[in-house]
Structures are given as C-alpha cells and as structure tokens.
Amino acid sequence: MYLSQTYGLLKHGLMQKGVYIPSEVASRNDIAEGIVSLDSRKEITFAFCEDFFVKTFLSPETQNGPKIQLHDGQIMLRSEKIMAEVDVVPLPRFLKDHLKNRNPVSHNIQLDGNCLNLFLRSVSKPPGLNMELKDILSVIQSAFEEGVADLVQLNMDYNEKPDRDFSKLDPVIKGIRKSFRTFISLRGFPPDNIREIDGLYASGIDLINFPLEGFARSEKLVALQPRIRDALKYAVGVFPQGAVSTELELGPTDQLKEKIDQLGELGIAPHIKLPEKLENSKVDF
C-alpha cells in the first residue's frame, strides 16, 4: 500500500470516528499541549508529514477506532490494521492566550492548518461586525509573527440582506491589505445579484468559497442551493483558475465522487466538510 493511501485511510478513520487517547498517554506534555477543550468536545490536530494536517475529536475507546499508542517514545496512530508515525500539532501561543482569557475574540477565531479563520457576522448595535478592525488586525499579526498562519479566511455568517452585508468587510479587507502580504479568502453565501461577485474580487478577495453543503439544515438555506450553484459558475469566470471552491458534506463514497467530478468539470474546487457530531452518525462509508 502506498504511503498516500495509508494516510488517506487514517484520515478517513479520524474524520469518521475521532481518536481514542488513553489517559496515561494524554498526560504526556507534547500531547496535552495539543488538546483543545471546546464547549462540546475536545479536539486535537495531527501532522502526518509537512503540510498534511488532520484535525479530529477525542472519542471513547472502540474496537476498531483510531487509537494513539507510544512505541519507543514515538507517537503512533493505529487504525484497524494500519499504523503510522504522527506528530501532535501544539496549540499556538496566540490561540492559547485567547482561549485562556475566553474573550470575545477567542470564540471567533480558528486555525485550520496554515489558514487563520475569522468568523464574522453583521451586528446592528453598534452597526458593523462582531469583531472590531483593531482586534482582527491584532490577531492576524499575532498568528503571522508566530509563524503558524500564512492565509486569512473571512467567514461571513448568512443574513437576509441582498448583498449579505459584504460591504461591511471593505474596511477589513483594506486593513489586511495595508498591513500584511497575504492571500484573503472569503467564505459565505452569495449575494442575490451574482454580478456583485465582480465587486468582491475587485475589493481584494483572492479566493472565494460558497458552500453547497455542510451548513445548518434550515429550509431557507437549503432553498439557496440552486442560487449557490449559479454563483459558483459565475465566480469561475471572475476569479483566477483554482480560486473558486465549495464545500460538500462527508457522505457515501459513490455519491461524493459523482459530486466531485461534476464540480471539477466546472473548474470548482471541492472541500469535504466534516459534519457536526459525526461520531454519532450512522452513515455507511
């Protein structure tokens, strides 16, 4: 079996079942420093090799589920008949400081590989965004100075305004452009008038992601899917090749492959999104 296939199978198992870490292993410093305690569960990120990261959740012990073991002091990930050496990615200092203080910023930032995610939404009092520009620039600077991020993604919550309030991102985009040399990605729902996508590119957005799946299953958002498909097709003609992406929810392999092929033919890059509470899912892979 090729190494890439081994990593792929291990990643699939981690996404589907999480990982069990015995308490005597979890207490080891290099592992304990990588465990993040969230409101609903604990997460950990593994590095299989350079630029190959997998984030997963801690789960109870199961017979065939992924498990961390130590072999001659080295961290080994075992899943059924496959075992590979891995490293635990330590929680960056800037994230650790924010999580420790539990300030408003800590609830709206996340590191995914080398991508710093900022979760933004429109607020009315005072009018603007849920994070102030100075806080946004400060957290980006902290991540960049620590060397743990080189890409910024702005995740804009859905709202019912025709332009999805993307105009409120203008000061943020200008501030990032003025202060840092980086790519800026935007993830959100498309405006009612898809021609406004031209303005998003002109404003300084380098990468665009309109998710087709993986969001809350409200009737309103599901009804948007035809419009999202149209927006993705339009965006391919505006943004450079490879800059337009979407998200698909992890599911049965045959259906997933068919969706990926269709998107690839259109020039849209698919990302596979881990469903919430996948550990309780009964989907058969």
Side-chain angles (χ1 to χ4, degrees):
M1 182 179 290
Y2 293 110
L3 188 61
S4 59
Q5 290 177 302
T6 300
Y7 286 165
L9 289 172
L10 287 171
K11 179 177 181 179
H12 187 275
L14 288 169
M15 294 177 70
Q16 184 182 4
K17 301 177 181 178
V19 63
Y20 170 67
I21 306 179
S23 57
E24 65 273 14
V25 177
S27 60
R28 207 172 97 156
N29 285 342
D30 55 349
I31 295 179
E33 290 181 359
I35 297 175
V36 184
S37 296
L38 304 176
D39 293 335
S40 59
R41 63 185 184 181
K42 293 182 178 180
E43 293 184 343
I44 191 169
T45 300
F46 296 111
F48 288 82
C49 57
E50 186 177 1
D51 294 331
F52 190 96
F53 306 98
V54 180
K55 180 184 291 185
T56 188
F57 53 89
L58 271 60
S59 64
E61 184 174 15
T62 58
Q63 184 176 356
N64 297 320
K67 179 180 180 179
I68 289 296
Q69 298 177 341
L70 297 180
H71 181 70
D72 293 335
Q74 176 59 49
I75 303 171
M76 306 295 293
L77 176 65
R78 176 184 289 277
S79 180
E80 297 187 8
K81 298 180 180 180
I82 305 172
M83 187 163 67
E85 182 179 315
V86 295
D87 291 314
V88 173
V89 179
L91 189 65
R93 185 179 63 254
F94 85 97
L95 270 181
K96 192 179 296 183
D97 291 343
H98 282 295
L99 289 172
K100 185 189 301 181
N101 298 328
R102 286 293 178 179
N103 54 34
V105 175
S106 68
H107 295 285
N108 297 296
I109 58 175
Q110 186 183 78
L111 193 62
D112 186 5
N114 294 324
C115 177
L116 177 63
N117 282 278
L118 304 176
F119 296 92
L120 305 174
R121 64 181 181 277
S122 182
V123 295
S124 55
K125 294 182 181 180
L129 297 170
N130 59 315
M131 290 179 66
E132 295 184 13
L133 178 58
K134 63 179 180 62
D135 292 330
I136 291 174
L137 298 180
S138 175
V139 75
I140 295 173
Q141 182 171 347
S142 297
F144 281 16
E145 286 181 348
E146 198 172 341
V148 296
D150 54 21
L151 167 68
V152 176
Q153 179 163 284
L154 308 176
N155 299 269
M156 193 68 171
D157 245 6
Y158 173 79
N159 69 57
E160 296 185 1
K161 292 187 178 179
D163 72 342
R164 307 294 177 246
D165 263 346
F166 285 142
S167 57
K168 291 185 178 180
L169 293 176
D170 287 342
V172 176
I173 297 168
K174 290 177 182 177
I176 296 173
R177 284 281 177 225
K178 182 178 179 180
S179 303
F180 309 101
R181 295 184 63 183
T182 185
F183 286 105
I184 303 175
S185 174
L186 173 62
R187 175 179 176 271
F189 293 91
D192 285 352
N193 182 358
I194 61 174
R195 294 190 180 277
E196 293 181 11
I197 294 173
D198 296 77
L200 294 175
Y201 181 59
S203 71
I205 296 296
D206 300 295
L207 309 165
I208 193 81
N209 180 328
F210 296 136
L212 275 168
E213 300 175 355
F215 44 76
R217 293 289 181 177
S218 70
E219 293 183 7
K220 186 177 297 182
L221 294 184
V222 171
L224 283 177
Q225 284 188 331
R227 185 178 298 169
I228 295 171
R229 290 191 183 91
D230 291 341
L232 287 165
K233 294 176 185 177
Y234 183 85
V236 168
V238 176
F239 284 79
Q241 184 178 5
V244 180
S245 63
T246 189
E247 293 174 7
L248 300 174
E249 195 168 59
L250 184 65
T253 304
D254 290 343
Q255 296 178 23
L256 196 58
K257 284 182 177 179
E258 184 178 347
K259 294 175 184 177
I260 291 172
D261 289 342
Q262 292 172 353
L263 291 168
E265 291 176 359
L266 296 172
I268 300 164
H271 300 289
I272 310 304
K273 183 175 175 61
L274 180 69
E276 292 295 328
K277 299 181 180 178
L278 182 59
E279 62 268 33
N280 297 323
S281 173
K282 297 187 183 298
V283 174
D284 180 20
F285 296 90

